[in-house]
Amino acid sequence: MATPPKQWMVTVTLTDKMRLGVDADWSDGKTLYIKNVLAGAVEHWNKQNPSLAVGTGDRILSVNHAKGDAQAMVREIKEKHVLQMLCEKAAAKESQPVGVPGMVRAGEQIPGMPPRTVDVLLELRAKAAEKESGSTPARALPPEDGEPPNHYQVLGIDNKADDAAIKKSYRKLVLTWHPDKHPSERDEAEVQIRLINLAYECISNPLKRQSYDQMLAALERKKLGIRLETQFIKPRMSIPKEFMLCPLGYSDKFVRVVDNVLLVQTREQAPGIAFQEFFQAAKFSLWWLPEVNNMCRLRPRETAGQGMDGGNNLCFDFRPGDEEEPTAEASCKLREDQDSKKCNLIVSASPFSQGAFRFEAAFWPGRHLSYRRPGKILMAGKADSGSDSADFLLVDYSTAYKFMTTSEVLKGACESQGGSQGDYVKLSDIRADLSVRLYFQQMLGSAVWNNKDFETFFEGHYDEWDFDVKKSRVRMRPDGPLMASASAPAAPAPAAPVPMEVEAASGLTDRLRCANSQSSTVKVLLAANGDDLARLPPNAAIPVLNRLAEKSSQLPPEKLASLKAAKRRFLITLPVLLGEGVFSIKKDRRRDSDVELTLKELLGMEKSVANIEREDTEKELGTACKGARESIVELMGARIRDAPKEVTIDGLSELLALPLNWGTVAASLAEALTPLLQKQKPGALLQPLRTAARLGKGAAPVVECLGRTELRGIAYSDGATAAEILTALAESGLETAAVASKLRPPLLPRLPLPELVSIVAALAEHGLSDDLLRPPLQARVAVAGPGLATVPPSRLLRLAAVAPRAACVAECALGAIAGAAAANLEIWPAEDVAELMLIVATTTSGPTISPGAKRLFLRVGEVLIPQLRKASRTVLLKVVVAAGAAASSCRELLEAAAGHIVTKLPDMKPDQVMLFTQGVLPLGGSHQVVVRLLSYWAQMLAGPIDSRDLTPDDIAQLAMLLAMVAPDHGLVFQVIGIRLQEAASRLTEAGHSALDAAFPGGAGGPNFPGKENLISALAEAKKKKQEEAEKKKQEALERQRKKEEEEERRKQEKSEKKSAKAARTERSRSRSRSRRRS
């Protein structure tokens, strides 16, 4: 075999069934290094062109228009069907690139870095940052006494910054202020990282950020003395039924009741207190009094409904005679005192902040409920001028979930994934957890973070999380605050009184059960309190969903609107009701037997939600239905794992049709199915098998379990049933060897021929060996004769498409397929005929061409030529390429197709014209089509050209193609020479290689005016590039030398330290021995 030149062109055509067939490395970013040649288009190019064969160690320098950019080449290979590749022969000593061991951290490759060396990594980055800036990093100052924290200043961003800017700043600050890189100032670094985390937690959450921005605006108005119009605000209508008191200016502080004492605390000031426990103690309500408008009593929620003469009121004691004393103050306490002068309040809207209110003592004018730093609640005057805060934001308790931190959400997800004891959990499982997805969707309004964002977050919260970058897994630190709160004993439940929310939920449950029609259910749902609705027991959702799913097409418009509102409200609440929401008391009750839902019940609920979505013809409930179904499906997956005995054969098809997380569920489901499949008849599991086969590799355990059961009795099945079973397994790519073993007598003769063709094609696509594929091909396909013409063309084409990668298909079946296609070529689409012709032409050639292939080539012109007039440009181009590959047998077709497409050249893109040029070259340079094409190239190149459509390298490749066929066409080469001379400096290595092939030695190849100037310009440009490359090489060698010297110096220092330590140890032991002897 002849040795390939140093650089040469390779042209291959890809189809949906034929891949390129090379295993390539593109770590240098510029070329594709061929590590191995696999079955595919390149392998068949090698068979057809042994003197230009592509082998291991060669490099691909360009693909179509892409050169010098490995990623662009890969995109061309993925997106284009016809590829024109410039290849370079491997150098004698060139070897495969060896990856540098290391780790990827924060988007940067750090060679030689062992995993999880956080201290060294941060120290290196800190030194680099300080060296670059020439100063120590700026410190974020804690807020001054009485001033709210300036989160924007802490993060170094403005108040208009978007999410990307916030993340970028946070990542930079975390790397800068990580305590591990400030060993001498660790306390200061911990303060800084705490401020940074607090700022990011607030600003990255749209709900928290909105509240924070409103607070800043209110404080600015108060500072400037700008007052809002409040006369139209009605406190009785505006204040929520249940609320939390948040002093204006302190967005993270809440008034709480602890042991009947009023405290003002942040979450940090109540360590070890769980999220729900913290906010349950911050829940207040008002008891409105009839005497005076807006007069009320402020009570903790537990006693809010005990009437005027009951309840635990906020009380204050002024001394007699203090009415006229402006500086008189009184502390506030909670007690069962019903004295109107001590507990009656008048509510008014804040003049500075929307949603905020003031509480004035009813019988002590000018005295307002006020917050005084650091944590005191009292009645005091000077509401507008003093430093006390007399304005309180009344935060609706039903929105308390928005104050949940990201760490708390991730903690719940970590525990649900098995990390409650400090075990590692895969980050992919955390990201896929429903509560995490709901948090990001409903709270942050964004997609779940990528791994890089999570890595930054875990680095910033180093005291809570331990993140393993190498294995992409995380755990709660055993000695961290999250584990401390998880292991803290739960407070005993009070025996009495029964919480009002439980009573309310119970009453709502009874009302829903008594609602015996859809309309009555709608009324109850619309009238219910949202908090009570979320506290319903899960089994109460079943009849409600059944009622809402009933058909309602005949309702009047007003009732139909109410029904949609009720559906939306209940579906939105359902994730929280089922215990999967971000803020739900059901999480602690999910394992109670009285609230668990069986798998059958969950299936019924999913059907009801699906029916509701189907009835929603206007698609107004799409988002709500999607969230509800995700919650139900998530619980179904957990139920399969926890209660496998609930799985039945009857509901298997419905179960497999659901979008479960099959990566975590499939193994449990297969284990549950194993004892149920022992006595199943052949074909009984066909429908579940078909459904499971479409689920992909995640459901492999289920497919294998069902497939093994069906294969056991397949010998006794009829041919059609057996073919369906084998097709399902072959398409899935699982149990392929077992499927092939069944393609033997006595079952093989009973299989319908079309199904057998599909089965063999599927097995070949999944890479089954030739030894297993050969028997059925030889026994049925190769000898089918006229019977093969009854197989649908699409199936024949699919089998033919695997011939380039499966030698036995090319040997035993391709000729028979070509002959069968030739017999009824009239029913084949023109595009499929062109594809089949290309496969046959590139797979078989010369004296070995089969009789079937000969018949195909003889008939293809007869059938296709009459259709060319109506064919699209794409089909014509495919026909030209296919006919060009078999030009010796299809010259008439090539001339006809080329004659049609040559008239459309002005409407074609340059890459299509290049492809057309490649196809028509076998006609010879004197053919009228080629002459017309060359004239078009000369005209196009002489005019203005967009460099994005036709680069200098493209022109160089064109010169190489035309030099082989039309070296005497001086005009086109003259224009090419002018263009290349202008762009010589922009030619890449691939372009120079193409021109070396077009003009061997400079003097060879076509002659045209200006050739000497072109060769001179090319030589000068090439020399310059070589000099630049040599310079870069020397710089790289110098950097490598310095790196090696530095590594050697470090090794020497390490060795010296080790020796010194050993010497000190020996001296210490010697002194000890001396003391013992003395």
Side-chain angles (χ1 to χ4, degrees), residues 173 225 247 284 343 459 597 694 702 899 929 994 1021:
L173 290 171
F284 289 85
C343 60
E459 289 292 353
L597 295 170
R694 292 193 293 266
V702 179
V929 171

Side-chain angles (χ1 to χ4, degrees), residues 721-734:
T721 302
E724 291 189 69
I725 295 171
L726 295 176
T727 300
L729 287 172
E731 295 288 357
S732 70
L734 303 171

Side-chain angles (χ1 to χ4, degrees), residues 476-653:
M476 294 183 287
R477 285 198 177 276
D479 56 346
L482 295 179
M483 285 296 293
S485 62
S487 59
V498 177
M500 290 186 63
E501 56 265 21
V502 176
E503 294 179 351
S506 177
L508 179 59
T509 304
D510 293 339
R511 291 197 299 275
L512 286 170
R513 286 174 178 167
C514 293
N516 55 6
S517 66
Q518 188 183 68
S519 59
S520 56
T521 302
V522 169
K523 290 180 181 178
V524 175
L525 289 176
L526 293 179
N529 178 273
D531 214 9
D532 296 339
L533 197 61
R535 294 190 180 97
L536 286 172
N539 53 18
I542 300 173
V544 176
L545 282 175
N546 290 339
R547 291 289 188 195
L548 295 177
E550 294 175 359
K551 292 188 177 181
S552 54
S553 56
Q554 304 301 323
L555 291 178
E558 60 276 7
K559 289 189 176 182
L560 191 61
S562 298
L563 175 60
K564 286 185 178 180
K567 287 179 178 179
R568 181 182 293 104
R569 190 178 194 205
F570 191 73
L571 290 171
I572 291 174
T573 310
L574 194 60
V576 183
L577 186 153
L578 293 177
E580 291 292 336
V582 175
F583 179 68
S584 172
I585 64 172
K586 295 293 188 301
K587 281 192 172 182
D588 300 329
R589 299 168 52 196
R590 280 178 57 189
R591 297 193 177 274
D592 294 349
S593 58
D594 59 335
V595 298
E596 284 188 344
L597 295 170
T598 66
L599 188 60
K600 185 177 181 180
E601 290 173 331
L602 290 169
L603 268 172
M605 292 175 66
E606 197 279 333
K607 288 181 183 177
S608 297
V609 176
N611 290 335
I612 292 175
E613 190 171 16
R614 204 161 26 248
E615 284 285 310
D616 181 29
T617 56
E618 298 180 5
K619 306 301 180 184
E620 297 177 354
L621 303 175
T623 303
C625 289
K626 180 181 178 182
R629 293 184 76 178
E630 285 180 351
S631 303
I632 296 171
V633 168
E634 185 85 4
L635 287 180
M636 290 174 70
R639 196 65 184 168
I640 292 172
R641 294 190 295 267
D642 298 339
K645 292 183 178 180
E646 294 181 2
V647 177
T648 63
I649 296 296
D650 295 337
L652 184 58
S653 294

Side-chain angles (χ1 to χ4, degrees), residues 1056-1074:
E1056 291 175 356
K1057 289 180 181 179
K1058 187 176 181 179
S1059 300
K1061 183 178 180 181
R1064 287 195 301 270
T1065 304
E1066 183 59 32
R1067 286 196 298 271
S1068 177
R1069 289 176 179 173
S1070 178
R1071 286 194 295 269
S1072 298
R1073 287 195 295 268
S1074 299

Side-chain angles (χ1 to χ4, degrees), residues 451-509:
N451 285 15
K452 185 176 180 181
D453 292 333
F454 272 109
E455 179 186 348
T456 304
F457 178 84
F458 292 139
E459 289 292 353
H461 296 75
Y462 62 93
D463 57 332
E464 298 175 338
W465 299 97
D466 179 17
F467 182 52
D468 185 344
V469 180
K470 185 176 181 180
K471 297 184 178 179
S472 191
R473 60 180 186 172
V474 69
R475 66 170 179 170
M476 294 183 287
R477 285 198 177 276
D479 56 346
L482 295 179
M483 285 296 293
S485 62
S487 59
V498 177
M500 290 186 63
E501 56 265 21
V502 176
E503 294 179 351
S506 177
L508 179 59
T509 304

Side-chain angles (χ1 to χ4, degrees), residues 9 62 64-67 86 910 914 937 941 945-961 975-996 998-999 1014 1018 1021 1025:
M9 292 300 300
S62 70
N64 293 348
H65 295 283
K67 56 275 177 188
L86 177 63
M914 288 283 287
W937 273 119
L941 292 173
I945 300 176
D946 190 340
S947 59
R948 293 172 297 181
D949 293 334
L950 200 64
T951 64
D953 280 6
D954 296 330
I955 301 175
Q957 292 178 22
L958 176 64
M960 184 184 66
L961 290 174
V975 178
I976 288 175
I978 294 172
R979 286 295 185 185
L980 289 176
Q981 191 173 349
E982 293 173 351
S985 61
R986 291 187 284 127
L987 279 168
T988 66
E989 186 178 354
H992 282 287
S993 300
L995 291 174
D996 289 342
F999 310 109
L1014 172 63
L1018 292 175
K1025 285 186 177 293

